[in-house]
Amino acid sequence: EDKVVQSPLSLVVHEGDTVTLNCSYEVTNFRSLLWYKQEKKAPTFLFMLTSSGIEKKSGRLSSILDKKELFSILNITATQTGDSAVYLCAVPLPRDDKIIFGKGTRLHILP
Amino acid sequence: SAVISQKPSRDICQRGTSLTIQCQVDSQVTMMFWYRQQPGQSLTLIATANQGSEATYESGFVIDKFPISRPNLTFSTLTVSNMSPEDSSIYLCSVEDPEGEDTQYFGPGTRLTVL
């Protein structure tokens, strides 16, 4: 059965800290992995990763994929209170035209 | 990417009534998706809506409870029928990437509370 597992489920840190969020997956015919940030209601797209070892970066956020070990990490450096959100990892299932989501990591940044 | 609008953004409804949620996208897309996110949970796919065909429902979701329309390539509706408090959730529509990448883009969501 295809699955996506995120850890930790929740995380509380102080502003300025660096955090690493983890996502492991078991998916048949893997093609890509997605990261979303969810504040309030709607997930917003962060990264799509398809190749191992190539870091995607956007400001203080970066992510990398390891297709051999079947995981990805999302790093946030110099965290700010505005980074508080649920971060969702997801893997598309092209054969079904669906995406399966992990349970998310709820990140809370203390001022 | 795609720009998606959804309405209503929130509603409070009485048990036994129905609510129709609308989703509009700024480009033509073949596939649109409807998700539910119950409090503290991740996203659960309700159904996939392709224009010109019946929606495909996931296990645990049925057309009588969640009828879906997809009249054209930029619009879809989801109706939550005969609501009960257990239907209180965030409902999200999403669309496939118009440029064919694997990602989906989400609408702003509808927060539904059923009393």
Side-chain angles (χ1 to χ4, degrees):
Chain A
E1 182 185 348
D2 299 317
K3 61 180 180 181
V4 175
V5 178
Q6 290 186 247
S7 64
L9 293 181
S10 67
L11 186 58
V12 180
V13 300
H14 286 93
E15 208 166 20
D17 289 350
T18 294
V19 296
T20 298
L21 310 183
N22 303 295
C23 176
S24 64
Y25 61 90
E26 291 180 27
V27 172
T28 305
N29 297 323
F30 174 86
R31 195 161 78 184
S32 61
L33 183 143
L34 311 172
W35 283 98
Y36 289 88
K37 177 182 182 182
Q38 186 177 25
E39 301 170 273
K40 297 182 182 179
K41 290 185 295 185
T44 53
F45 174 71
L46 294 175
F47 298 113
M48 182 174 73
L49 303 159
T50 56
S51 301
S52 275
I54 298 176
E55 184 183 58
K56 291 278 184 91
K57 197 170 173 63
S58 176
R60 295 176 294 102
L61 276 67
S62 63
S63 184
I64 198 162
L65 175 67
D66 185 329
K67 286 164 62 170
K68 183 179 177 184
E69 299 297 330
L70 308 183
F71 77 90
S72 174
I73 59 171
L74 176 68
N75 279 323
I76 309 175
T77 59
T79 52
Q80 303 171 358
T81 55
D83 295 326
S84 296
V86 174
Y87 290 83
L88 294 165
C89 175
V91 176
L93 304 178
R95 69 177 186 277
D96 297 325
D97 290 318
K98 299 177 191 174
I99 291 179
I100 55 170
F101 287 86
K103 292 184 183 296
T105 294
R106 184 174 296 276
L107 176 64
H108 185 61
I109 310 296
L110 299 172
Chain B
S1 64
V3 177
I4 304 161
S5 61
Q6 200 174 322
K7 58 181 181 181
S9 62
R10 61 174 57 229
D11 209 341
I12 300 173
C13 301
Q14 295 296 323
R15 180 196 297 261
T17 62
S18 298
L19 175 72
T20 295
I21 303 168
Q22 299 180 11
C23 180
Q24 178 82 48
V25 61
D26 69 340
S27 55
Q28 294 185 336
V29 292
T30 302
M31 302 186 73
M32 296 179 77
F33 307 87
W34 287 98
Y35 289 85
R36 180 173 75 181
Q37 188 176 32
Q38 295 177 303
Q41 303 295 315
S42 190
L43 282 72
T44 301
L45 181 64
I46 297 172
T48 302
N50 291 345
Q51 194 270 333
S53 62
E54 293 285 328
T56 303
Y57 289 82
E58 296 301 300
S59 175
F61 298 96
V62 294
I63 188 171
D64 290 346
K65 175 68 175 177
F66 297 102
I68 288 171
S69 78
R70 184 78 204 275
N72 57 53
L73 290 172
T74 62
F75 186 79
S76 179
T77 68
L78 170 76
T79 298
V80 186
S81 303
N82 187 26
M83 289 184 284
S84 66
E86 292 71 34
D87 294 319
S88 297
S89 286
I90 294 171
Y91 291 85
L92 294 150
C93 72
S94 74
V95 303
E96 59 176 353
D97 181 11
E99 297 176 8
E101 298 283 359
D102 282 345
T103 192
Q104 290 178 13
Y105 296 97
F106 287 83
T110 297
R111 186 181 297 277
L112 171 62
T113 302
V114 184
L115 302 177

